Amino acid sequence: MARVAVIDPQSATGEAKELLDAVQAGLGMVPNFIRVLANSPAALSAFLGIHGIAGAGVLDPQTRERIALAVAEQNACQYCVSAHTAIGRKAGLGNEEMLANRKGQSSDAKAAAALGFARALVDSTGQVSKAEFDAVRAAGHSDAEIIEIITHVAMNIFTNLLGKSTQVEIDFPKVDLNQFV
């Protein structure tokens, strides 16, 4: 059971209702994570804003989901591993690839470099080495992609913290953590 209220979109009012209705219209559902965020319409609006901007960037949807899976596993957030496994499947990732992603690996060399950089960002709270930075660039990532990798890591750390601290109920097919760190 979540440690904070899980807002029912049907009984929400004001800005929270508007935001939840927009999520429903866009996704066809309102995940519990979003319902918890709706306790603060300002926080929900900020999350939806950065999520929208991050989704409109140059990183492909598969790489964005790979990063979310790697960071969620690294931070032991079962809600986020479960959610991004379902979302990753819709983005075209297979089970073996997603399992590798959770380990910070990929069958795609450029994606593997992004995941290595993402994990290094989490491990060092941003103090990545020159070698780690050079490796992601050498794999073919542009400055725009590097900035977006950093953005996705930060956004996913936020969701991991929220999911774990509030103990929000998982409303996606549950996936066990493997803790490959």
Side-chain angles (χ1 to χ4, degrees), residues 63-78:
T63 299
R64 295 191 304 253
E65 290 310 313
R66 287 175 170 120
I67 292 168
L69 286 163
V71 172
E73 185 72 41
Q74 191 173 7
N75 287 324
C77 181
Q78 188 178 15

Side-chain angles (χ1 to χ4, degrees), residues 109-174:
K110 188 174 179 183
L115 295 179
F117 187 66
R119 287 177 58 92
L121 286 164
V122 174
D123 281 343
S124 67
T125 57
Q127 292 291 324
V128 292
S129 69
K130 180 180 181 326
E132 290 164 329
F133 212 96
D134 290 347
V136 73
R137 184 168 278 130
H141 286 284
S142 67
D143 285 350
E145 289 170 316
I146 292 168
I147 293 301
E148 289 182 21
I149 292 166
I150 295 166
T151 300
H152 280 277
V153 167
M155 181 175 62
N156 282 285
I157 289 171
F158 168 72
T159 62
N160 297 167
L161 289 171
L162 190 78
K164 289 175 65 174
S165 65
T166 63
Q167 297 181 353
V168 61
E169 183 181 340
I170 299 171
D171 52 349
F172 293 90
K174 212 175 258 189

Side-chain angles (χ1 to χ4, degrees), residues 102-117:
R102 291 169 58 193
K103 294 177 185 178
Q105 303 167 0
S106 176
S107 60
D108 176 277
K110 188 174 179 183
L115 295 179
F117 187 66

